[in-house]
């Protein structure tokens, strides 16, 4: 398991090295008041401790993505390890840090507002629609996935519909109430289950000397599915996920000091990458090749989770591990709906101090999501995947623009932005749910599209630099 252990080590080392490089490049201002203090409202803007924020951020971003995605990505073989490590260090963690910190500098603004400011006003409307769609898909996927796992764990004793209704009820409360009332209090308990799950599975892989495949660039997918772009769409959370750009502003409104940003944003993405490595390794080790494919066909990634947990940890440990996995989607689903409510409220400029104002925005979201739960999970996951990739590219371009306007080395964000744009466009042009073009044609079309987007980025950069009054960071003393 040399490849597995070296990959984990590289992720940890990156936090202390490349993470510091990105932090220094951004330029932390410790004396600058954060929105948690300058805009404190007792609902969304509330100062909370760094450890608490870190745990909430981790649970927000780590849904079933870093588990289900790597399990399905394990079909490709050890090449999945490369994408998790490289994607997490140079794309995902950079993406999360920049979106979180730029939000802090702009009064806790969500991605649509940031896109409108840095990439042009039309992008505000486009990103707002895409972000709300993504959050609805995430919320729906993160209702059906944990409901199915709980249903199987209890051997169908409680009806699936009842479990789904209970999860929805929790989501409504978590979306409506102040962030420190449920999310801030429940997450430490749920976080303990998450730690038990990840550490337990990873520890047993090492303790038992599991036969984890070593590094190879060979595509081992039984169906021969192309590595690019499908692997990047399949393994999103754990490598890079646009969904995180919708979650970071939740914490940017509760962070006490900018110097805590690297731990909360970059660091928690690294932890998610480690979780993804553990589950990809477990899937490759216990159910390698056609056996894994057959198991996924039989019961999806959820069945693999159960088999891995009970095989490695036994009845009691396996139950705790599965509960830890169930925690992840639930603690991302609640904040997905919360983020959607906040983004819509910011877009239509409706203050959220009154619970009635939160209610009439949130309830339609839950009604739509409930309707979406009747759709096929695999289809939902595909739509989630491509929307997720597109949002990540846009968020990275926002970060690149923020750095470029100040003549800083923006390529740390621009290069992964270009890559993720190619990923999303290639998938859209080639996939059956997109244009269904031959892969060779899709590559050409995606390349042309990416060049056009890069040219528009360069043109907008020139305009932003020429604008004398362009305000990179919002004045914390200015009243809106």
């Amino acid at each position: 398991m040399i490849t597995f252990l070296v990959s984990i080590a590289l992720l940890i080392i990156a936090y202390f090295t490349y993470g510091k490089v990105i932090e220094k490049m951004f330029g932390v201002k410790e004396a600058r008041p954060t929105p948690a203090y300058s805009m404190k409202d007792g609902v969304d803007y509330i100062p909370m401790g760094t450890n608490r924020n870190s745990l909430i951020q981790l649970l927000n971003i780590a849904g079933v993505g870093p588990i289900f995605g790597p399990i399905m990505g394990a079909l490709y073989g050890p090449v999945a390890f490369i994408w998790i490590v490289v994607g997490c260090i140079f794309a995902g963690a950079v993406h999360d840090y920049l979106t979180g910190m730029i939000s802090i500098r702009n009064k806790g603004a969500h991605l649509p507002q940031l896109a409108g400011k840095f990439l042009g006003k039309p992008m505000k409307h486009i990103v707002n629609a895409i972000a709300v769609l993504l959050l609805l898909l995430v919320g729906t996927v993160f209702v059906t996935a944990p409901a199915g796992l709980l249903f199987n764990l209890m051997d169908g004793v409680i009806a699936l519909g009842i479990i789904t209704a209970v999860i929805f009820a929790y989501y409504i409360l978590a979306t409506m109430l102040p962030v420190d009332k449920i999310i801030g209090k429940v997450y430490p308990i749920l976080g303990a289950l998450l730690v038990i799950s990840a550490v337990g599975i990873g520890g047993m892989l090492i303790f038992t000397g599991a036969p984890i495949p070593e590094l190879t660039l060979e595509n081992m997918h039984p169906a021969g599915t192309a590595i690019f772009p499908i692997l990047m769409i399949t393994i999103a959370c754990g490598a890079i996920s646009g969904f995180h750009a919708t979650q970071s502003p939740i914490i940017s409104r509760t962070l006490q000091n900018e110097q805590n940003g690297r731990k909360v944003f970059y660091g928690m993405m690294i932890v998610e990458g480690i979780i993804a490595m553990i589950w990809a390794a477990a899937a490759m080790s216990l159910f390698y090749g056609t056996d894994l494919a057959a198991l996924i066909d039989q019961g999806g990634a959820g069945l693999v989770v159960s088999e891995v947990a009970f095989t490695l940890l036994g009845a009691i440990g396996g139950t705790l591990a599965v509960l830890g996995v169930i925690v992840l989607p639930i603690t991302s689903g609640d904040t997905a709906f919360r983020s959607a409510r906040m983004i819509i409220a910011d877009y239509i400029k409706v203050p959220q101090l009154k619970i009635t104002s939160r209610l009439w925005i949130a309830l339609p979201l839950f009604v739509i999501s409930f309707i979406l739960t009747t759709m096929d999970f695999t289809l939902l996951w595909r739509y989630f995947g491509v929307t997720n990739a597109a949002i990540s590219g846009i968020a990275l371009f926002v970060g690149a623009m923020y750095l470029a306007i100040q003549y800083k080395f923006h390529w740390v964000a621009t290069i992964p932005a270009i890559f993720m744009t190619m990923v999303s466009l290639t998938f859209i042009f080639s996939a059956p749910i997109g244009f269904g073009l031959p892969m060779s044609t899709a590559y050409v079309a995606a390349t042309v599209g990416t060049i056009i987007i890069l040219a528009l980025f360069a043109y907008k950069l020139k305009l932003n630099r020429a604008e004398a009054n362009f305000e990179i960071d919002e004045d914390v003393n200015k009243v809106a």
Side-chain angles (χ1 to χ4, degrees):
M1 56 177 70
I2 295 173
T3 302
F4 171 67
L5 294 176
V6 169
S7 297
I8 297 288
L10 287 173
L11 288 168
I12 295 171
I13 291 169
Y15 169 73
F16 296 101
T17 55
Y18 197 64
K20 282 190 176 181
V21 169
I22 300 300
E23 180 184 53
K24 185 176 181 180
M25 191 176 299
F26 180 82
V28 169
K29 299 177 181 178
E30 295 182 30
R32 193 178 196 272
T34 62
Y37 293 105
S38 63
M39 300 182 68
K40 186 176 180 180
D41 65 0
V43 178
D44 296 318
Y45 294 86
I46 299 173
M48 293 196 296
T50 306
N51 291 335
R52 199 176 179 190
N53 275 324
S54 297
L55 187 58
I56 293 173
Q57 173 71 0
L58 174 61
L59 291 173
N60 284 356
I61 64 176
V64 289
I67 297 176
F68 282 24
I71 286 173
M72 292 186 286
L75 290 169
Y76 290 89
V79 70
F81 291 154
I82 299 176
W83 169 235
I84 292 172
V85 174
V86 175
C88 183
I89 294 172
F90 297 105
V94 173
H95 167 282
D96 289 15
Y97 181 80
L98 290 178
T99 52
M101 296 302 290
I102 295 171
S103 176
I104 287 174
R105 292 283 179 86
N106 288 271
K107 298 183 176 181
H110 275 277
L111 184 60
Q113 281 69 41
L114 297 177
K117 177 177 180 176
F118 291 99
L119 302 180
K121 289 183 179 179
M123 287 301 295
K124 175 182 178 180
H125 308 297
I126 294 170
V127 175
N128 192 81
I130 297 175
V132 172
L133 172 63
L134 173 64
L135 290 166
L136 274 172
L137 289 172
V138 168
T140 304
V141 167
F142 292 173
V143 168
T144 56
L149 286 169
L150 278 170
F151 181 75
N152 293 332
L153 187 64
M154 294 184 288
D155 291 326
V157 173
I158 299 178
L160 184 61
I162 295 175
I163 297 173
T164 302
V166 170
I167 294 174
F168 263 122
Y170 165 73
Y171 283 178
I172 292 172
L173 290 174
T175 302
M176 302 292 297
L177 295 176
V179 69
D180 62 336
K181 299 303 180 186
I182 290 185
I183 291 174
K185 286 187 170 67
V186 173
Y187 274 32
I189 300 170
L190 301 181
L193 285 173
L194 166 61
V195 171
I196 290 171
S197 174
V199 173
I201 298 296
M204 287 304 293
L205 285 174
I206 296 171
F207 180 75
T208 59
I212 301 170
E214 297 297 354
L215 184 61
T216 174
L217 298 179
E218 181 184 353
N219 182 357
M220 297 183 176
H221 198 290
T225 306
I227 291 175
F228 184 92
I230 309 301
L231 178 60
M232 291 75 198
I233 295 290
T234 303
I235 303 180
C237 299
I240 178 171
S241 169
F243 169 65
H244 297 186
T246 68
Q247 300 301 290
S248 293
I250 293 178
I251 302 303
S252 74
R253 299 181 181 196
T254 62
L255 205 69
Q256 293 176 323
N257 194 292
E258 286 189 7
Q259 67 178 340
N260 303 327
R262 181 167 65 92
K263 178 180 180 180
V264 173
F265 298 121
Y266 196 99
M268 292 307 102
M269 180 61 209
I270 292 295
V271 173
E272 188 186 63
I274 293 172
I275 294 172
M277 281 294 305
I278 289 171
W279 281 100
M284 289 184 207
S285 175
L286 272 69
F287 309 102
Y288 194 61
T290 54
D291 291 338
L292 176 58
L295 200 65
I296 291 175
D297 288 341
Q298 179 185 341
L303 181 57
V304 178
V305 167
S306 298
E307 292 290 335
V308 167
F310 288 104
T311 300
L312 288 176
L313 300 176
I316 297 175
T319 300
L320 289 175
V322 173
L323 286 174
V325 173
I326 291 168
V327 160
L328 289 174
I330 290 177
T331 53
S332 291
D334 55 7
T335 50
F337 286 113
R338 188 178 188 89
S339 294
R341 189 259 298 168
M342 292 161 67
I343 287 174
I344 293 171
D346 288 349
Y347 185 73
I348 61 179
K349 301 186 186 309
V350 175
Q352 295 293 280
L353 291 177
K354 294 181 179 179
I355 195 167
T356 51
S357 298
R358 290 171 244 157
L359 185 65
W360 71 262
I361 293 175
L363 283 184
L365 295 173
F366 287 108
V367 172
I368 295 171
S369 179
F370 179 76
I371 295 170
L372 289 175
T373 57
T374 60
M375 290 181 61
D376 176 57
F377 177 86
T378 305
L379 186 62
L380 279 174
W381 188 265
R382 288 173 188 161
Y383 280 115
F384 159 71
V386 67
T387 308
N388 201 29
I391 285 287
S392 70
I394 293 169
L396 282 165
F397 272 122
V398 169
M401 183 66 75
Y402 181 90
L403 296 174
I405 292 171
Q406 303 173 79
Y407 295 92
K408 295 182 178 181
F409 190 72
H410 64 89
W411 294 104
V412 295
T414 305
I415 291 174
I418 292 170
F419 182 80
M420 291 311 298
T421 302
M422 272 293 295
V423 166
S424 55
L425 288 180
T426 303
F427 184 85
I428 290 169
F429 285 125
S430 64
I433 63 172
F435 293 97
L437 299 176
M439 189 59 75
S440 57
T441 306
Y443 285 145
V444 174
T447 301
V448 172
T450 302
I451 291 172
I452 292 172
I453 290 172
L454 189 59
L456 291 172
F457 172 82
Y459 177 70
K460 183 59 180 173
L461 172 59
K462 182 180 179 181
L463 294 179
N464 287 344
R465 283 176 172 173
E467 188 177 331
N469 298 320
F470 193 90
E471 192 177 42
I472 294 288
D473 301 325
E474 297 251 346
D475 185 352
V476 293
N477 298 312
K478 185 171 69 176
V479 179

